[in-house]
Amino acid sequence: MGTTKATKVLIIGSGPAGYTAAVYSARAMLNPILVQGLQPGGQLTITTEVENWPGDTHVMGPDLMVRMEEHARAMGAEIISDYVTSLDLSKRPFTARADSGTTYVADAVILATGAQAKWLGLPSEEKFKGFGVSACATCDGFFYRGKEVVVIGGGNTAVEEALFLTNFASKVTVVHRRDSFRAEKIMQDRLFKNPKISVIWDSEVTEVLGTEAPLGVTAVKVRNVKTGAESEVSCAGFFVAIGHAPASELVKDQLPLHNGGYVVVEPGTTRTAIPGVFAAGDLTDHVYRQAVTSAGMGCMAALDAEKFLAGH
Ligand code: FAD
Ligand code: NAP
């Protein structure tokens, strides 16, 4: 038999949104419980340097997230290593069941489950995942010392991943479906100046090619979207950096979603369609998707929850 834990505020997710919500709701004496999920610290734990967190010219993503966790604990939040497998928002108190067997019962819930890497959806991509296909250069870049790699994507993540991979790889080729990047200009500048990186514009990857025994990537098939011309680019590693999708699986049948899965909130607030349920960070934001905006929304969610609880 699993245990039951009751709380005024249950925070699901341990990225900048979740930890900030924990700091604020702990300081409001709401004794929050925060469930961390499979990625304690969230997306910033899979990057290296963060240069746009106010107050830190340079900070390593994982270090920043350890500091946020320590801050939330110091304020009195209970932080639990667990994963919520189902959530019942049909009646109050809300209930969340978790992997450990624990049931969390809460008067208010702050959803801060963030986002996860998107994949191209190719059968060959699936086949070589973990065997040359990756969505995390900081996790897997080391395996490609002295080898050639390909990165697909044109946003901040793709450019950052490509730059990071130059620390290991002999050559990095970025494939992008248009003829300009959407990444910040400062990042693009660094990329264009790096002699190890070349870019294939207006192109998509149509197949990952490799060996069977041992399973491993040897090349990707690239198609020019304007001319239809096909070519092969040899590589030992293929990094997919085409954006992130909101992690709204827990609530997809209970709350309205928009733009492919983002939880809808009342403009200017973190209130969802269900009173007492709040959403913050990349789970609800399809526009800004930054650490600092997620933290800001975490603060808003805690204040919104406090106001809700005071009225009930
Ligand atoms: P996330 O950080 O996505 O965290 C989500 C949390 O929810 C995780 O802890 C996860 O374990 C938890 N979770 C999910 N499902 C469950 C569940 N069922 N039960 C319990 N917990 C669950 N932004 C910047 O501002 N500057 C940068 O330099 C920067 N660099 C980046 C580099 C990379 C490689 C990536 C991928 C993103 C980067 N970003 C950067 C974006 C930034 O990381 C995100 O905007 C931010 O982390 C979103 O915070 P969040 O709290 O909404 O969610
Ligand atoms: P993103 O900004 O959404 O960019 C995704 C990129 O992948 C786009 O260039 C897009 O092409 C391309 N793409 C999407 N689907 C594709 C497909 N099926 N096939 C081929 N290409 C595809 O995602 P992101 O780069 O992961 O960034 C997510 C958020 O995190 C952003 O808000 C970003 O600013 C933030 N972030 C910030 C930093 C930083 O501040 N240093 C670092 C990383 C991430 P199009 O351009 O043609 O749409």
Side-chain angles (χ1 to χ4, degrees):
M1 267 280 287
T3 53
T4 298
K5 284 180 83 79
T7 178
K8 290 196 187 92
V9 180
L10 175 67
I11 301 164
I12 307 177
S14 56
Y19 282 144
T20 308
V23 167
Y24 274 78
S25 47
R27 282 172 54 79
M29 303 304 211
L30 296 173
N31 304 321
I33 288 179
L34 180 150
V35 178
Q36 289 181 306
L38 299 179
Q39 191 179 48
Q43 291 171 67
L44 284 187
T45 59
I46 59 159
T47 190
T48 49
E49 289 207 347
V50 175
E51 295 181 349
N52 50 17
W53 180 257
D56 285 309
T57 315
H58 294 281
V59 58
M60 297 302 278
D63 293 346
L64 177 61
M65 296 319 298
V66 166
R67 277 166 36 196
M68 281 196 206
E69 177 178 347
E70 285 168 359
H71 189 171
R73 278 190 202 280
M75 292 299 120
E78 186 176 354
I79 294 174
I80 299 179
S81 172
D82 207 348
Y83 178 78
V84 175
T85 49
S86 69
L87 187 59
D88 183 357
L89 302 177
S90 63
K91 56 182 183 309
R92 272 204 312 272
F94 306 114
T95 48
R97 292 185 204 289
D99 232 10
S100 61
T102 304
T103 299
Y104 300 89
V105 179
D107 299 325
V109 171
I110 295 176
L111 302 165
T113 48
Q116 279 164 4
K118 279 199 233 167
W119 297 95
L120 291 171
L122 302 170
S124 54
E125 170 192 58
E126 189 59 39
K127 175 175 168 182
F128 291 107
K129 257 186 209 170
F131 297 90
V133 171
S134 168
C136 178
T138 41
C139 320
D140 301 329
F142 181 78
F143 299 118
Y144 302 96
R145 195 172 284 277
K147 298 181 176 160
E148 296 183 352
V149 298
V150 169
V151 176
I152 185 161
N156 272 332
T157 301
V159 171
E160 228 174 54
E161 302 261 276
L163 286 165
F164 180 74
L165 285 164
T166 60
N167 293 322
F168 311 100
S170 55
K171 183 178 175 206
V172 179
T173 305
V174 180
V175 177
H176 183 38
R177 63 184 180 185
R178 291 188 297 121
D179 61 3
S180 64
F181 288 131
R182 67 168 63 223
E184 284 170 284
K185 295 290 175 247
I186 188 169
M187 307 286 297
Q188 296 193 31
D189 252 26
R190 288 178 197 164
L191 181 138
F192 292 132
K193 280 186 189 142
N194 194 309
K196 276 192 177 177
I197 304 179
S198 61
V199 183
I200 302 180
W201 299 109
D202 296 316
S203 296
E204 59 187 11
V205 167
T206 52
E207 197 180 344
V208 184
L209 307 169
T211 51
E212 291 295 330
L215 206 55
V217 172
T218 54
V220 290
K221 210 182 255 184
V222 172
R223 196 181 76 89
N224 185 297
V225 293
K226 288 190 171 155
T227 64
E230 285 199 327
S231 58
E232 275 182 25
V233 181
S234 19
C235 60
F238 175 51
F239 289 84
V240 181
I242 59 165
H244 289 79
S248 51
E249 190 63 26
L250 282 176
V251 295
K252 69 177 181 356
D253 300 322
Q254 305 182 74
L255 289 173
L257 307 176
H258 68 128
N259 281 79
Y262 293 85
V263 170
V264 174
V265 290
E266 263 180 60
T269 78
T270 60
R271 292 196 293 265
T272 69
I274 298 179
V277 180
F278 306 89
D282 280 15
L283 173 68
T284 174
D285 171 21
H286 72 290
V287 180
Y288 303 105
R289 298 175 299 166
Q290 303 295 306
V292 69
T293 47
S294 297
M297 282 185 258
C299 156
M300 289 165 64
L303 297 178
D304 286 344
E306 185 186 359
K307 196 167 165 197
F308 168 81
L309 291 169
H312 288 76

